[in-house]
Amino acid sequence: GGTGPAGRGLAVRLAAAGVQVTLGSRDAERAAAVARDVVAAYPDRTLEIRGADNGGAAEADVVVLATPWDSAIATVKPLREALAGKVVISMANALVREGREMLALIPPRGSVAAAVQATLPRSLVAAAFHHLPAAEMENLDSGLEADVLVCSDHGEASAVTESLIEAMSGLRPLIAGSLSQAAAIEAFTAVCITLNMRYKVHSTLHIEGI
C-alpha cells in the first residue's frame, strides 16, 4: 500500500532520514510513477525511493503494511514465505465513515494487526503509525511533531519499529505493550480523524508526563 497517502507520507519521512525505501503496489508501474513524483517534490533533497510490485517490496529488510484495512490480509497472505522472519509493521485501521464521524469497526481477532500476525505466524508483527496525519507526514516542511504508539508481541519488532520512528524528525516512539493493545490503538484513530474533520485541522497525538 505504498502508493496511498499513508504509505507515501511514511516513505518520504523515512527517505528523508536516510532510509532506502521501496513503495509497493499491485501495479509496479504505478508504484514507480508515484515514487518519481514523491522524489520530484523535493528536488533539493536526496531521497532514495523506488517503486516495485508487492513481491519486490516484500524483499526489504523491514516491511510496512499501509493498505486499506479490508485488503490487508489479502495483500500479505501470498507473501507469507517472503515475509517469514521479518519485521512487518501494520498501520491499518478498521474504520468506516458515518456522516461527520469516523467509527471504529471490530475486525477478526480484534485488530488488523492481530489478524496480520495470525496470517503471518513466522513474521514479527508490530502495530504503529496509526494516528499520524498523512498530509502532514508527506509535507516535510510541515513542522510535524507527534508521539507514535508501538505494540508487538516480539521485542525485536518493537525495537526495530522504535528505531525507525526515532530516525524521523519530530516523531517520538512510545512502546505501548503487547499486540493486545492494537485494538484500542487502532480504534482511537476514529476519534483522531473525527476531531480533524470537525475542526478542519491535522491534529497529532502527544502523551504528556513521559
Side-chain angles (χ1 to χ4, degrees):
T3 59
R8 293 197 311 269
L10 187 58
V12 73
R13 290 274 166 173
L14 286 170
V19 178
Q20 294 180 343
V21 178
T22 300
L23 289 180
S25 171
R26 288 174 296 179
D27 184 337
E29 292 185 3
R30 169 171 166 72
V34 171
R36 287 193 296 270
D37 289 343
V38 171
V39 171
Y42 295 97
D44 297 332
R45 295 176 181 262
T46 301
L47 304 177
E48 294 192 45
I49 305 175
R50 72 179 187 93
D53 62 12
N54 287 330
E59 296 175 0
D61 295 334
V62 179
V63 175
V64 179
L65 180 62
T67 64
W69 73 272
D70 51 359
S71 62
I73 302 306
T75 298
V76 299
K77 194 171 184 179
L79 303 171
R80 184 178 292 160
E81 293 302 317
L83 297 175
K86 294 186 176 183
V87 172
V88 177
I89 305 171
S90 171
M91 60 185 298
N93 307 287
L95 307 176
V96 62
R97 182 166 182 168
E98 186 172 299
R100 296 183 63 191
E101 293 186 339
M102 294 298 293
L103 302 179
L105 303 177
I106 302 176
R109 300 184 182 273
S111 69
V112 178
V116 171
Q117 181 65 88
T119 304
L120 303 175
R122 291 188 290 154
S123 298
L124 311 179
V125 175
F129 303 117
H130 300 90
H131 308 132
L132 296 171
E136 299 297 288
M137 283 286 285
E138 191 169 351
N139 179 6
L140 292 176
D141 301 317
S142 65
L144 175 70
E145 293 187 1
D147 290 333
V148 180
L149 302 181
V150 180
C151 64
S152 178
D153 291 338
H154 306 281
E156 180 182 347
S158 294
V160 168
T161 306
E162 184 178 30
S163 67
L164 286 178
I165 296 167
E166 288 177 335
M168 290 182 277
S169 178
L171 301 185
R172 179 178 69 153
L174 295 175
I175 304 300
S178 70
L179 207 60
S180 297
Q181 299 282 39
I185 292 172
E186 291 177 15
F188 187 68
T189 308
V191 178
C192 296
I193 297 176
T194 298
L195 288 170
N196 289 344
M197 291 191 300
R198 179 175 295 275
Y199 293 102
K200 297 179 173 58
V201 295
H202 297 286
S203 64
T204 57
L205 184 68
H206 293 273
I207 305 296
E208 299 296 332
I210 298 178

